[in-house]
Amino acid sequence: MRIRFLGTSAGWPLPRLGCKCEICSSTDPKDKRTRTQILIDDSVLLDAGPETYNHLISLDSIASKLKAILVSHEHPDHILGLWDLPHIYGRAENNIDKINLYITHPVLNGIRRVFATPFQPIKPTIVKPNQTFNINHAQAQYFPVIHGKTPAFGVKYKDGKILAYIPDFNRILPSQQRIIRDCHLLIIDGSSLGKLGQSPTHISIEDGVKIAQNLKAKNVYFVHIGHKTGTHQFLEEYLRKNLPRRQAGAGPNFHIAYDGLELLV
Ligand SMILES: [Zn+2]
Ligand SMILES: [Zn+2]
């Protein structure tokens, strides 16, 4: 699987308008973050935040081949880009007439409260939590997570190897953790570091490390990075200093994702 991290910020992009803090004035391109969004194999989008159009226009030839979208929950940083997606052209040439929006009922209800108009040619297909469905050669599944009072889901995507995507949550039940045990790539909520940027509806990077170790995830990338969490360099150093030294070939590999990062899994 080819994984592109199109965006990696929390609810608002970095730098923040008018802010002169260390993160917002950083000259490291890895500190310029847009809303969290992942593209799998140039055809499946995870989440559809406000920068979806900007993300896809830079991958113009790919946009016209987009086949499916999955949305973790109804918060604006994960859905506002749906407004632009029907206006992708050149799809007939690729024999693709619609984009399948695989979605759970509560999340579609949340989207409908924001967008009353139909999404032609986006075609919603309702899937149940924990139901497995096929996209291309892959099996996908939404699993429930706790994100304050908002219905929210993680995504398991298995195409040979297993990707688990959980950008927004404050708790995940053991029964749901079992579903993504031994995943090859865990993309997980990194909204805060300890008290830096702490929010009751999100985990911290420290919590994420514990969860990932418990899951025996092989590679872990933090996304949904907040305004107060830290610069990319600071957070990478934090992980290097505070994690048990990696044994050769064993144990998870932890990183802070950044916009534009690409991985082959
Ligand atoms: Zn979010
Ligand atoms: Zn959220």
Side-chain angles (χ1 to χ4, degrees):
M1 286 184 281
R2 174 186 290 277
I3 311 297
R4 296 180 194 258
F5 291 78
L6 303 181
T8 57
S9 84
W12 289 269
L14 295 167
R16 296 284 163 81
L17 282 172
C19 183
K20 300 282 179 279
C21 79
E22 188 196 0
I23 298 166
C24 291
S25 50
S26 163
T27 54
D28 184 348
K30 292 176 181 166
D31 289 319
K32 307 222 180 308
R33 298 182 187 274
T34 55
R35 265 56 71 94
T36 292
Q37 183 169 45
I38 306 292
L39 181 63
I40 306 170
D41 286 337
D42 294 345
S43 60
V44 180
L45 265 187
L46 302 184
D47 278 328
E51 288 94 0
T52 299
Y53 170 87
N54 303 65
H55 292 160
L56 293 177
I57 198 86
S58 62
L59 305 166
D60 206 20
S61 58
I62 289 169
S64 60
K65 294 175 195 149
L66 203 60
K67 287 188 181 158
I69 309 173
L70 282 71
V71 177
S72 60
H73 65 301
E74 69 186 68
H75 282 162
D77 53 320
H78 299 263
I79 68 165
L80 288 184
L82 289 171
W83 180 253
D84 297 322
L85 277 173
H87 293 269
I88 298 178
Y89 296 84
R91 299 176 64 75
E93 290 88 322
N94 294 307
N95 276 330
I96 298 174
D97 59 348
K98 60 183 185 292
I99 303 174
N100 288 299
L101 173 67
Y102 296 97
I103 194 91
T104 60
H105 225 289
V107 178
L108 183 61
N109 286 343
I111 293 171
R112 291 280 189 229
R113 282 194 288 277
V114 179
F115 302 111
T117 51
F119 289 108
Q120 294 295 348
I122 296 180
K123 183 175 170 279
T125 301
I126 302 282
V127 291
K128 292 198 175 82
N130 295 124
Q131 175 193 337
T132 303
F133 51 97
N134 293 325
I135 304 176
N136 302 330
H137 302 294
Q139 289 92 49
Q141 179 181 352
Y142 283 107
F143 52 93
V145 295
I146 296 155
H147 182 34
K149 293 198 166 80
T150 305
F153 299 88
V155 172
K156 176 182 179 182
Y157 191 91
K158 183 177 178 195
D159 191 355
K161 297 197 170 157
I162 296 173
L163 175 157
Y165 171 72
I166 351 177
D168 293 50
F169 72 110
N170 54 288
R171 205 153 69 85
I172 174 169
L173 296 176
S175 61
Q176 302 304 315
Q177 293 195 30
R178 270 198 287 281
I179 292 168
I180 51 169
R181 217 179 141 74
D182 296 318
C183 58
H184 295 87
L185 176 61
L186 174 64
I187 302 174
I188 188 168
D189 190 340
S191 297
S192 68
L193 182 70
K195 293 209 179 323
L196 298 172
Q198 198 175 36
S199 155
T201 58
H202 290 275
I203 61 160
S204 65
I205 288 175
E206 296 92 322
D207 296 332
V209 167
K210 282 189 208 130
I211 292 168
Q213 286 172 328
N214 202 21
L215 293 175
K216 300 198 186 322
K218 293 181 179 58
N219 294 288
V220 183
Y221 282 78
F222 288 95
V223 292
H224 214 273
I225 306 297
H227 183 200
K228 305 212 168 110
T229 317
T231 61
H232 181 270
Q233 191 185 1
F234 168 82
L235 294 172
E236 278 284 341
E237 275 165 21
Y238 171 86
L239 289 174
R240 271 207 300 280
K241 281 186 202 142
N242 290 282
L243 289 173
R245 193 168 285 277
R246 194 174 172 222
Q247 313 272 312
N253 198 358
F254 288 92
H255 287 287
I256 306 297
Y258 54 88
D259 288 25
L261 172 66
E262 289 184 25
L263 299 174
L264 281 175
V265 181

